[in-house]
């Protein structure tokens, strides 16, 4: 019975995509689908954290951005001059910073507690910070001076962007480790507040550090992941043109659709692999421990389970999955636009997906990801149309203009309302946890 | 025999589906001290909470001065003249002693609050000394005095104490018991749960020995102390 | 003489802006900490509550200005403030009735209420965007400076004029008045004491006959009023954009946690710690140092530890230090 219901729900969502393709365009529909699939993967990551362990993080956008950064570092064009100008120096500064922090932690553990220790460590860190800046700044200036119009960054490794995907996961995992170490094990709101901050810092770094990723100048022209071809290559490839011609399709449209289908296939495959892995993990002894901790932290701790360690582990895994999706997204788009990493789009939207779909249930997250992902992007063309209908009876005037202008802002409001309504009236979501 | 001033009669109920109390009866007369003793898990605190309306009864009733109050909320019972001192978390730690007493009188809107406060300071002189100190900074015994004082601020006719001497030293315990006797002398009924059964029964006009949520022995405090069965099973010989 | 100039520059670039920004943060953080101590959750919608209240203040300001009503040397927004406060309070009470009360009665876990508050944040942010848009609005009028730089220079003969922005002075005074009123209310009135009692020990407060719904209502009223004042002052000082208030969440949370969540004094102290740290770390010290050291010593560096873009990193850093070493904050808290 429940299975039937779920099938109907998924069929309904599929219908939405088909209708979009039919009435708008298949290109648009597939575009939305690809972004929705990526959102599904992010939602799986969030579901691991929230659904499995009850961890509320408001820093999803940080993991997504770190995934994007991985693509820049791994697969963007190398900039030998930029690297030669300041790369080693910058790298040296970062290594220095790492050593300084490691030494600080070691000193903290070695020294006797007291205000002398605090003052000494604070002084040490302040001095070290200025040394770090003096090493870093010269390198940054040199790198950014190198052809600022086209480069100005240290460049990447120029590898296929498929390699960047696991790197994105690793970067996000590393970020999660740091923040989890600090904020887990305290009041649960503290994790939410701390992750909000770290995410904002990550995005700020990516917006401002031109040497790293060209900042708001954006980094474009990154290669496609294997095996996706470029549309223009397809359009001159006889092996593609002949079957297309024989089907009577327009080669330009067909090439864009083929590319999008390839992405959809790859993303779908990874999504299924993840779900399969998650389901296996959930039904293993590990999964049972994790759920026992979520349902009753105190008694689990009393039974000798290391709650904090489990939480850290889950927080890292969930963030890694989100980072993976972030890398996949940047590698599909072929460019990094740091200013597009908005908490609204990549933190709270994903949350709405998980909660609407059904927290704790992987299939729920996928359904939520597809449904809300479609809704979020479809509102772009449906919103103004709907507002036109609403205001059609009104006389022309400032109110009508104001309402039509504000249609674009409806998105936030409706997301908030959806979240509140689902939390209140269907807190288990569309597909409840078994 | 006339109806007692406060009686919880044939009380049956518990927090969840499982009953903790089984047809348990507790009563107290004006100016009398009634003590509930018994082994751990006998439902002593539960019995008192039932009288105060903190758990739902499946059967039985609670009557105060002849009026059926079974359906009233604890807050409404406070207004009817019942005061309750919980076992833990029974003071406002971040507020001064005087503010604690003021909060105790929150439901009163008459002009004599100051007078009541003076009476409580007379009863517990140390509180007068520490009236502007945060209650959380006081010693265990002093905190208990604040807790009792807070409950007395409503000028209750019945004062219910859940293990008032838990965690205080024997000297402080004797001191507290003296104060409780003094309160009872002023005409207030006292119903209390005690771990220190022997000392409590010594000052009790009436004692209830509960076992597994049922009344096992009920008699005057002296008689219970003298009863060899009670001594053997509950007072350690 | 140069020391004096350096001192004036220090006042101009660090002390005065720090006091103003700290005051604005404090009014916001006080609301956060009150909500935390009574309703027991971290309110993620608080930044957008500030934006919401300020939007209404701006609407009323425009209306007053269109009728030719101004406050002379003071910003007209001060006249509009009471109406903005009323709108904010109405919104708070409506939100509590429609959204939060349900979870309170359910005794939902705090983290669920935190998530709910993010939903409220969305709705408020959407409303603000629909009401007033996302563009930058400058709604300050009246005298911009309380001390004419030219006069200061003639009086003192210093090269560096002391600049006291009207909005900075108003912020500090408003914060002083609000804090004094709040502490008087919490310490001296029966209702205020009942609020403290409720946040101290909920069960005992119930036993004492304190009505929780009333306490909650008063908390929302105070938090809403403070949020509207804080938002308006911040908007007057830095010009208004509905979407920047979200980024005030981080410094406000940091301030409240540094002081100890639930402690009003802590929220105020924490706010000034955060505000001054931000300014000390992200200000360019070149001008101040320029008066103290011979010019050729300094070179062309700005003497700025972090660029202003990294303001958030400062409050985050403070938050991390507190979480690592003293999670309960300076003034205890829970």
């Amino acid at each position: 019975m429940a299975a039937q219901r779920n099938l109907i729900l998924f069929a309904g969502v599929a219908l939405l995509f088909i209708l979009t393709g039919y009435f708008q365009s298949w290109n648009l529909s597939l575009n939305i689908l690809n972004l929705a699939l990526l959102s599904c993967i992010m939602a799986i990551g969030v579901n691991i954290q929230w659904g499995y362990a009850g961890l509320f993080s408001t820093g999803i956008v940080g993991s997504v951005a770190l995934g994007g950064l991985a693509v820049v570092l791994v697969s963007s064009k190398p900039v030998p001059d930029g690297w030669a100008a300041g790369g080693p120096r910058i790298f040296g500064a970062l290594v220095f910073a790492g050593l300084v922090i490691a030494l600080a932690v070691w000193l903290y553990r070695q020294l006797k507690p007291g205000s002398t220790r605090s003052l000494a460590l604070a002084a040490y860190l302040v001095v070290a910070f200025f040394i770090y800046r003096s090493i870093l700044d010269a390198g940054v200036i040199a790198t950014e001076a190198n052809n600022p119009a086209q480069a100005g960054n240290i460049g990447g490794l120029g590898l296929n962007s498929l390699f960047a995907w696991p790197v994105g996961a690793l970067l996000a995992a590393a970020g999660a480790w740091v923040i989890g170490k600090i904020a887990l094990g305290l009041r649960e709101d503290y994790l939410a507040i701390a992750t909000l901050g770290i995410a904002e810092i990550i995005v700020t770094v990516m917006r401002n550090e031109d040497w790293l990723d060209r900042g708001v100048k954006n980094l474009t022209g990154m290669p496609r992941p294997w095996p996706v071809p470029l549309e223009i290559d397809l359009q001159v490839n006889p092996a593609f043109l002949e079957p297309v011609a024989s089907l009577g399709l327009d080669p330009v449209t067909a090439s864009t659709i083929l590319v999008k289908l390839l992405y959809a296939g790859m993303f779908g495959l990874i999504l299924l692999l993840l779900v399969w892995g998650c389901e296996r993990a959930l039904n293993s002894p590990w999964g049972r421990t994790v759920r026992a901790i979520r349902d009753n932290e105190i008694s689990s701790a009393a039974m000798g389970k290391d709650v904090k360690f489990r939480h850290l582990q889950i927080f890292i895994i969930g963030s890694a999955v989100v980072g993976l999706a972030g890398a996949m997204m940047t590698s599909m788009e072929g460019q990094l636009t740091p200013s597009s990493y908005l908490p609204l789009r990549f933190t709270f939207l994903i949350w709405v997906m998980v909660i609407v779909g059904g927290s704790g249930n992987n299939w729920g997250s996928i359904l939520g990801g597809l449904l809300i992902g479609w809704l979020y992007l479809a509102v772009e063309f449906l919103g103004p149309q709907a507002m036109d209908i609403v205001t059609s009876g009104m006389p022309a005037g400032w109110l009508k203009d104001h309402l039509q202008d504000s249609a674009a802002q409806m998105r936030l409001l409706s997301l908030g309302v959806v979240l509140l309504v689902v939390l209140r009236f269907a807190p288990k979501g569309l597909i409840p946890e078994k | 025999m006339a109806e007692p001033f406060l009686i919880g009669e044939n009380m049956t109920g518990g927090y969840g589906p499982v009953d903790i109390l089984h047809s348990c009866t507790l009563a107290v007369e004006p100016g009398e001290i009634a003590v509930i003793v018994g082994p751990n898990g006998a439902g002593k605190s539960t019995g008192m909470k039932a009288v105060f309306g903190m758990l739902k009864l499946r059967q039985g009733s609670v009557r105060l001065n002849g009026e059926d109050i079974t359906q009233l909320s604890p807050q409404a019972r406070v207004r009817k003249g019942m005061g309750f001192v919980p076992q833990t978390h029974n003071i406002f730690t971040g507020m001064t002693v005087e503010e604690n007493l003021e909060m105790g009188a929150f439901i009163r809107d008459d002009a004599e609050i100051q007078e009541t406060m003076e009476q409580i300071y007379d009863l517990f002189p140390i509180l007068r000394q520490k009236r502007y100190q945060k209650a959380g900074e006081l010693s265990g015994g002093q905190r208990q005095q604040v807790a009792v004082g807070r409950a007395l601020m409503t000028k209750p006719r019945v004062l219910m104490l859940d293990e008032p001497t838990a965690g205080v030293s024997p000297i402080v315990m004797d001191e507290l018991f003296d104060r409780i006797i003094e309160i009872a002398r002023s005409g207030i009924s006292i119903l209390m749960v005690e771990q220190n059964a022997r000392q409590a029964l010594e000052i009790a006009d009436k004692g209830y020995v509960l076992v597994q949520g049922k009344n096992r022995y009920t008699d005057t405090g002296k008689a219970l102390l003298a009863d060899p069965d009670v001594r053997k099973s509950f007072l350690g010989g | 003489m140069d020391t004096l100039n350096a001192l004036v520059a220090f006042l101009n670039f660090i002390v005065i802006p720090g006091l103003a920004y700290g005051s604005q943060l404090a009014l916001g953080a006080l609301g956060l900490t009150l909500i935390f101590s009574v309703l027991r959750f971290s309110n993620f919608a608080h930044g957008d509550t500030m934006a919401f209240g300020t939007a209404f203040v701006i609407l009323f300001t425009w209306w007053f200005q269109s009728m030719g009503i101004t406050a002379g040397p003071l910003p007209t927004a001060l006249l509009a403030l009471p109406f903005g406060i009323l709108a904010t309070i109405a919104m708070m009470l409506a939100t509590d009735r429609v959204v939060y009360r349900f979870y309170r009665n359910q005794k939902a876990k705090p983290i669920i209420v935190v998530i709910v508050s993010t939903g409220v944040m969305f709705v408020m942010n959407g409303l603000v965007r629909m009401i007033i848009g996302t563009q930058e609005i400058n709604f300050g009028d009246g005298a911009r400076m309380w001390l004419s730089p030219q006069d200061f220079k003639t009086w003192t003969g210093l090269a560096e004029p002391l600049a006291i922005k009207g909005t900075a002075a108003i912020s500090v005074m408003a914060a002083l008045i609000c804090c004094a009123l709040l502490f008087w209310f919490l310490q001296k009135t029966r209702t205020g004491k009942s609020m403290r009692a409720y946040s101290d020990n909920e069960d005992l407060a119930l036993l004492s006959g304190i009505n929780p719904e009333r306490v909650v209502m008063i908390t929302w009223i105070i938090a809403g009023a403070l949020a509207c004042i804080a938002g308006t002052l911040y908007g007057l000082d830095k010009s208004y954009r509905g979407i920047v208030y979200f980024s005030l969440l981080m410094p406000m949370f940091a301030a409240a946690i540094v002081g100890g969540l639930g402690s009003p004094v802590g929220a105020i102290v924490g706010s000034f710690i955060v505000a001054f740290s931000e300014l000390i770390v992200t200000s360019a010290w070149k001008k101040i140092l320029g008066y103290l050291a011979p010019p050729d010593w300094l070179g062309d560096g700005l003497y700025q530890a972090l660029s202003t873009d990294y303001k958030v990193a400062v409050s985050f850093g403070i938050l991390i230090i507190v979480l690592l070493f003293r999670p309960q904050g300076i003034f205890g808290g829970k």
Side-chain angles (χ1 to χ4, degrees):
Chain A
M1 195 55 217
Q4 216 169 15
R5 203 182 90 101
N6 296 348
L7 267 183
I8 294 173
L9 283 170
F10 273 103
V13 174
L15 190 66
L16 289 177
F17 282 95
I18 293 169
L19 287 176
T20 313
Y22 191 76
F23 285 108
Q24 298 283 335
S25 83
W26 289 104
N27 232 327
L28 177 70
S29 178
L30 280 173
N31 203 10
I32 297 180
L33 178 67
N34 283 339
L35 286 170
L37 283 171
L38 290 170
S39 303
C40 289
I41 299 178
M42 295 174 196
I44 295 271
V46 173
N47 187 39
I48 289 174
Q49 294 174 347
W50 170 245
Y52 296 7
L55 303 176
F56 179 54
S57 152
T58 52
I60 316 296
V61 64
S63 304
V64 178
L66 283 177
L69 184 62
V71 180
V72 168
L73 296 178
V74 171
S75 73
S76 73
K77 270 197 309 289
V79 185
D81 293 344
W83 172 259
R89 209 183 158 106
I90 294 172
F91 193 69
L94 294 178
V95 170
F96 172 76
L99 290 176
V100 163
I101 292 171
L103 184 63
V105 173
W106 184 77
L107 281 174
Y108 180 77
R109 293 198 179 132
Q110 294 297 311
L111 297 174
K112 264 202 237 58
S115 48
T116 326
R117 176 179 74 173
S118 315
L119 284 176
L121 275 180
Y124 156 74
L125 285 174
V126 168
V127 171
F129 175 79
F130 284 106
I131 299 175
Y132 158 76
R133 279 293 301 265
S134 67
I135 306 177
L136 179 78
D137 286 7
V140 168
I141 291 168
T143 298
E144 290 181 356
N146 169 55
N147 189 9
Q150 263 113 50
N153 61 331
I154 52 170
L157 299 174
L159 298 173
N160 190 296
S161 71
L162 207 54
F163 292 111
W165 296 5
V167 178
L170 278 178
L171 273 185
W177 178 74
V178 173
I179 202 70
K181 266 284 194 202
I182 296 167
L184 284 172
L186 300 167
R187 269 189 65 90
E188 38 195 4
D189 322 25
Y190 287 174
L191 182 69
I193 297 169
T195 45
L196 183 76
I198 190 88
E200 216 171 315
I201 292 175
I202 291 171
V203 175
T204 311
V205 167
M206 290 179 55
R207 257 203 312 259
N208 289 290
E209 301 304 321
D210 290 9
W211 59 268
L212 184 66
D213 60 356
R214 303 194 72 230
V216 286
K217 290 186 279 185
N218 299 343
L219 213 150
T220 52
M222 284 184 285
R224 290 259 157 100
W226 180 87
V228 184
L230 284 169
E231 286 88 345
I232 37 170
D233 291 341
L234 275 180
Q235 285 157 23
V236 293
N237 187 345
F240 170 73
L241 287 175
E242 276 163 27
V244 165
S246 69
L247 286 169
L249 297 170
D250 170 39
V252 175
T253 321
S255 66
T256 54
I257 287 183
L258 179 70
V259 165
K260 291 198 170 72
L261 279 175
L262 274 173
Y263 277 124
M266 290 166 80
F267 296 166
L269 186 69
I270 288 190
L271 180 61
L272 289 177
L273 279 175
L274 276 173
V275 171
W276 178 76
C278 285
E279 295 282 323
R280 288 278 310 247
L282 257 194
N283 293 318
S284 69
W286 180 85
R288 280 190 288 276
T289 310
V290 163
R291 276 181 294 173
I293 290 177
R294 179 195 63 185
D295 294 336
N296 195 337
E297 217 167 279
I298 296 158
S299 76
S300 304
M303 277 153 65
K305 302 202 161 107
D306 188 346
V307 174
K308 194 179 167 186
F309 174 73
R310 288 281 166 234
H311 277 175
L312 185 62
Q313 198 181 30
I314 290 167
F315 185 61
I316 290 175
I317 295 174
S319 302
V321 171
V322 176
L324 172 73
M328 289 160 70
M329 188 179 72
T330 303
S331 110
M332 174 179 84
E333 289 171 346
Q335 61 172 347
L336 183 85
T337 41
S339 47
S340 67
Y341 289 114
L342 302 171
L344 172 73
R345 167 70 180 83
F346 292 109
T347 295
F348 296 110
L349 187 69
I350 307 296
W351 265 99
V352 174
M353 290 171 179
V354 172
I355 286 169
V356 168
S359 6
N361 188 310
N362 292 313
W363 293 104
S365 298
I366 296 179
L367 181 75
L370 291 172
L371 176 65
I372 301 296
W374 179 84
L375 211 59
Y376 186 79
L377 294 167
V379 164
E380 222 155 71
F381 57 86
L382 289 180
Q385 287 172 7
M387 205 43 113
D388 279 344
I389 297 169
V390 170
T391 56
S392 60
M394 284 187 184
W398 71 269
L399 184 62
K400 184 168 178 165
D401 290 345
H402 185 80
L403 282 177
Q404 285 183 338
D405 287 345
S406 64
Q409 316 290 358
M410 286 285 284
R411 213 186 238 180
L412 271 169
L413 190 71
S414 34
L415 268 181
V417 171
V418 166
L419 183 64
L420 289 178
V421 167
V422 170
L423 275 173
R424 164 102 185 232
F425 297 105
K428 286 181 184 305
L430 290 173
I431 307 183
E433 190 185 359
K434 280 153 277 180
Chain B
M1 196 177 137
E3 162 103 356
F5 179 63
L6 169 70
I7 180 165
E9 200 169 31
N10 293 326
M11 298 183 296
T12 301
Y15 298 102
V18 185
D19 285 341
I20 299 171
L21 298 175
H22 304 279
S23 194
C24 171
T25 297
L26 301 168
V28 63
E29 294 290 353
E32 201 183 63
I33 299 177
V35 175
I36 309 170
V37 296
N40 278 336
K44 303 182 299 262
S45 288
T46 313
M48 189 150 82
K49 284 178 179 160
V51 174
F52 193 60
M54 289 168 88
L55 79 145
K56 236 183 157 39
L57 292 180
R58 285 203 303 110
Q59 277 160 39
S61 63
V62 183
R63 292 187 302 280
L64 179 70
N65 206 7
E67 184 189 349
D68 189 330
I69 56 168
T70 317
Q71 299 305 323
L72 293 186
S73 68
Q75 286 88 328
R77 290 178 206 219
V78 172
R79 283 170 204 275
K80 289 276 177 198
M82 295 170 75
F84 181 67
V85 181
Q87 184 183 346
T88 53
H89 302 288
N90 50 19
I91 53 168
F92 299 111
T93 49
M95 302 176 87
T96 64
V97 170
E98 184 144 316
E99 284 171 336
N100 264 275
L101 298 184
E102 258 178 75
M103 285 300 110
F106 193 80
I107 54 167
R108 285 173 59 178
D109 38 21
D110 52 288
E112 282 102 51
I113 291 176
Q114 210 53 44
E115 225 168 275
T116 317
M117 207 177 281
E118 285 305 318
Q119 286 165 7
I120 286 165
Y121 285 146
D122 291 341
L123 186 66
F124 301 117
I126 186 77
L127 296 190
R128 192 195 307 273
Q129 262 180 50
K130 309 219 161 185
R131 62 206 288 180
Y132 300 123
Q133 208 166 324
K134 287 227 170 98
E137 295 165 358
L138 303 181
S139 72
Q142 292 165 350
R143 281 161 167 245
Q144 289 305 70
Q145 296 182 11
V146 176
V148 173
R150 187 206 61 86
L152 286 174
M153 283 302 291
T154 49
K155 290 213 250 178
R157 290 179 292 170
V158 184
L159 183 64
M160 307 176 57
L161 306 161
D162 193 351
E163 301 202 17
T165 63
V168 302
S169 69
I171 304 167
V172 176
M173 183 171 82
D174 288 345
E175 159 91 19
L176 264 174
F177 279 152
D178 286 347
R179 293 288 96 77
I180 290 169
I181 295 171
E182 213 171 307
I183 296 167
R185 297 270 181 278
S186 71
I188 296 175
S189 311
I190 307 261
L191 180 63
M192 69 177 180
V193 169
E194 259 301 335
Q195 277 298 348
N196 302 304
R198 185 186 295 272
Q199 291 90 331
L201 286 175
E202 271 165 15
I203 65 161
D205 298 297
K206 196 187 279 170
Y208 293 93
V209 181
L210 297 194
V211 176
Q212 292 183 337
K214 297 190 186 92
N215 293 83
R216 176 68 64 88
Y217 302 96
T218 306
D219 211 324
T220 62
K222 285 212 172 52
L224 286 175
L225 280 173
D227 185 325
D229 285 346
V230 175
R231 290 173 69 105
K232 209 173 90 196
S233 328
F234 304 108
L235 304 174
Chain C
M1 212 50 190
D2 271 335
T3 339
L4 271 183
N5 272 319
L7 187 69
V8 174
F10 180 69
L11 287 173
N12 279 342
F13 292 109
I14 307 288
V15 177
I16 295 172
L19 285 174
Y21 179 44
S23 305
Q24 293 150 9
L25 278 185
L27 292 174
L30 271 175
L32 266 186
T33 220
L34 282 179
I35 292 174
F36 181 86
S37 66
V38 170
L39 291 120
R40 303 181 206 283
F41 73 94
S42 306
N43 183 15
F44 273 71
H46 206 67
D48 286 293
T49 306
M50 288 162 65
F52 181 86
T54 314
F56 272 87
V57 171
I58 293 175
L59 291 182
F60 278 104
T61 305
W62 285 344
W63 188 48
F64 286 153
Q65 284 170 340
S66 73
M67 294 191 304
I69 304 172
T70 61
L74 295 174
T76 314
L78 291 187
L79 291 179
L81 194 55
F83 300 94
I85 290 176
L86 287 180
T88 318
I89 290 174
M91 183 68 184
M92 296 285 90
L93 295 180
T95 315
D96 185 69
R97 176 67 191 78
V98 179
V99 182
Y100 294 117
R101 202 171 73 165
F102 172 79
Y103 298 94
R104 194 159 58 246
N105 292 340
Q106 294 247 306
K107 300 207 183 301
K109 288 206 292 188
I111 197 70
I112 300 283
V113 189
V114 170
I115 298 178
V116 168
S117 80
T118 63
V120 172
M121 172 181 88
F122 270 124
V123 173
M124 287 230 214
N125 195 311
L127 285 176
V128 169
R129 283 159 181 255
M130 290 172 79
I131 293 169
I132 209 156
T134 53
Q135 75 282 22
E136 190 160 323
I137 299 169
N138 210 325
F139 63 107
D141 53 7
R144 219 174 72 77
M145 287 292 174
W146 279 23
L147 203 60
S148 149
Q150 207 48 54
D151 289 352
F152 184 87
K153 280 188 187 171
T154 10
W155 291 337
T156 58
L158 289 174
E160 183 73 28
L162 185 68
I164 301 181
K165 259 165 83 183
T167 50
I170 293 171
S171 293
V172 175
M173 287 192 312
L176 277 176
I177 295 170
C178 288
C179 291
L181 279 176
L182 181 68
F183 282 98
W184 170 79
F185 171 77
L186 287 176
Q187 299 295 333
K188 298 291 173 201
T189 66
R190 222 164 84 94
T191 312
K193 284 180 192 171
S194 73
M195 232 171 102
R196 278 166 57 217
Y198 182 84
S199 90
D200 191 314
N201 187 336
E202 194 176 326
D203 294 327
L204 197 61
L206 291 177
L207 275 184
S208 307
I210 292 167
N211 178 359
E213 286 304 306
R214 204 175 115 85
V215 170
V216 166
M217 187 180 84
I218 290 164
T219 308
W220 282 120
I221 289 176
I222 297 175
L226 291 176
C228 181
I229 298 171
T232 304
L233 294 173
Y234 186 80
L236 277 174
D237 207 20
K238 311 234 158 79
S239 94
Y240 176 84
R241 274 189 84 193
I243 42 181
V244 305
Y245 285 83
F246 172 76
S247 52
L248 280 182
L249 263 186
M250 194 63 219
M252 287 195 301
F253 272 131
I257 292 174
V258 170
L261 258 182
S263 154
V265 185
I268 296 170
V269 174
S271 297
F272 285 101
I273 293 178
V274 169
F276 279 104
S277 313
E278 245 181 50
L279 279 162
I280 289 171
V281 174
T282 63
S283 291
W285 285 78
K286 184 170 186 165
K287 185 144 196 195
I288 302 169
L289 293 175
Y291 287 114
L292 295 173
D296 44 332
W297 282 20
L298 288 175
D300 18 278
L302 285 170
Y303 292 85
Q304 185 182 23
L306 277 179
S307 92
T308 44
D309 296 309
Y310 288 109
K311 260 195 292 205
V312 63
V314 179
S315 28
F316 180 75
I318 294 174
L319 178 75
I320 292 299
I321 292 171
V322 172
L323 290 189
L324 278 176
F325 301 110
R326 199 179 156 83
Q328 76 276 29
I330 303 173
F331 291 88
K334 280 173 260 178

